[in-house]
């Protein structure tokens, strides 16, 4: 008798905040211009976003994580996100600075407090909580692309502001797939305990 032992499905997840459409379009234009000038294919990948957490986990955990994120997001108020000029992670990444860092960091810490255990698959696959908020223009740059690109962008200016009302959970099962939407969570700013309103 053959026993069918199937490997549990694992996926890669991204929890992120998206800028509003006009700002997103403007940043997409900057990413395209970077690609045109420096031929960095990563600049064309993905829509502009601010990553909060990325992690790998068994898909069987997904519904529990969504439920927990829904509870967390109900208690978070919409947050103002200010973008100003450019920054870099030396030798490989150029990004737009998020200057309202503490509000985003507080959100990430809140998520970490409530979900770190659920998002950790095993000792080799721990969730990566992004404590340096930024919106990537291009990453995985070759040394010359980084050096010339940063020489150029360190002197350029950019500013933008948006109110984040939601965060988005995306999933992909293999690195060559596009991320798919799992769930969108609205920041409702409810006080803790408000959901247990008196019913009678």
């Amino acid at each position: 008798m053959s026993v069918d032992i199937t490997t549990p499905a694992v996926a890669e997840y991204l929890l992120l905040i998206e800028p509003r459409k006009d700002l997103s379009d403007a940043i997409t234009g900057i990413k395209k211009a970077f690609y045109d000038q420096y031929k960095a294919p990563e600049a064309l990948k993905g829509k502009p976003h601010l990553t909060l957490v990325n992690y790998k986990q068994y898909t069987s955990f997904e519904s529990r994580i969504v439920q927990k994120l829904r509870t967390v997001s109900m208690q978070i108020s919409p947050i103002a996100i200010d973008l100003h000029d450019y920054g870099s992670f030396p030798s490989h990444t150029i990004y737009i600075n998020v200057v309202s860092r503490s509000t985003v960091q507080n959100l990430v810490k809140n998520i970490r407090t409530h979900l770190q255990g659920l998002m950790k698959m095993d000792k080799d696959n721990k969730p990566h909580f992004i404590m340096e908020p930024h919106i990537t223009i291009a990453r995985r740059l070759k040394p010359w692309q980084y050096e010339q690109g940063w020489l150029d962008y360190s002197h350029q200016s950019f500013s933008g502001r948006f109110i984040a009302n939601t965060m988005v959970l995306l999933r992909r099962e293999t690195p060559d797939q596009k991320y798919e939407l799992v769930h969108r969570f609205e920041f409702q700013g409810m006080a803790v305990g408000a959901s247990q309103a008196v019913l009678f």
Side-chain angles (χ1 to χ4, degrees):
M1 192 176 90
S2 67
V3 181
D4 181 27
I5 302 172
T6 53
T7 311
V10 172
E12 193 179 340
Y13 292 89
L14 265 185
L15 183 67
L16 52 85
I17 286 173
E18 296 172 322
R20 62 168 195 273
K21 187 170 186 321
D22 62 327
L23 197 51
S24 184
D25 290 347
I27 297 168
T28 298
I30 294 167
K31 286 162 72 73
K32 281 183 177 152
F34 191 97
Y35 171 77
D36 290 342
Q37 192 161 1
Y38 300 106
K39 298 294 175 268
E42 288 283 331
L44 295 180
K45 285 190 181 174
K47 291 194 290 187
H49 66 272
L50 198 158
T51 303
L52 304 172
V53 193
N54 61 42
Y55 65 97
K56 273 186 178 174
Q57 185 52 285
Y58 297 111
T59 52
S60 55
F61 279 75
E62 192 175 288
S63 59
R64 284 164 64 194
I65 288 172
V66 166
Q67 189 57 49
K68 195 84 173 167
L69 283 171
R70 193 183 283 130
T71 304
V72 169
S73 63
M74 282 170 71
Q75 294 164 10
I76 294 166
S77 296
I79 54 178
I81 302 207
D82 289 293
L83 308 174
H84 189 70
D85 294 348
Y86 298 91
S88 74
F89 296 128
S91 82
H92 58 80
T93 302
I94 292 171
Y95 58 82
I96 292 174
N97 283 317
V98 174
V99 289
S100 48
R101 291 164 58 99
S102 60
T103 49
V104 180
Q105 287 169 337
N106 289 339
L107 171 58
V108 173
K109 285 176 191 167
N110 190 341
I111 295 163
R112 185 173 63 191
T113 300
H114 290 93
L115 283 114
Q116 188 158 17
L118 268 180
M119 289 175 169
K120 180 182 171 184
M121 189 165 92
D122 53 39
K123 67 179 187 349
D124 298 320
N125 290 285
K126 295 175 183 170
H128 189 44
F129 296 93
I130 311 298
M131 297 307 290
E132 296 263 340
H134 61 280
I135 294 181
T136 302
I137 295 301
R139 61 192 189 123
R140 295 190 184 136
L141 296 171
K142 293 173 181 162
W144 73 267
Q145 291 169 326
Y146 172 79
E147 285 161 21
Q148 291 181 25
W150 182 231
L151 196 64
D152 181 9
Y153 280 74
S154 61
H155 299 296
Q156 290 194 30
S157 61
F158 178 88
S159 79
R161 187 171 204 264
F162 68 99
I163 304 295
N165 299 306
T166 57
M167 59 184 178
V168 179
L169 184 65
L170 304 177
R171 172 191 64 218
R172 67 178 179 187
E173 283 164 23
T174 61
D176 55 354
Q177 280 184 335
K178 281 194 166 179
Y179 279 99
E180 295 175 350
L181 177 67
V182 176
H183 200 85
R184 194 176 291 275
F185 304 91
E186 285 192 38
F187 298 150
Q188 297 177 29
M190 290 177 154
V192 178
S195 53
Q196 283 99 33
V198 179
L199 299 172
F200 50 94

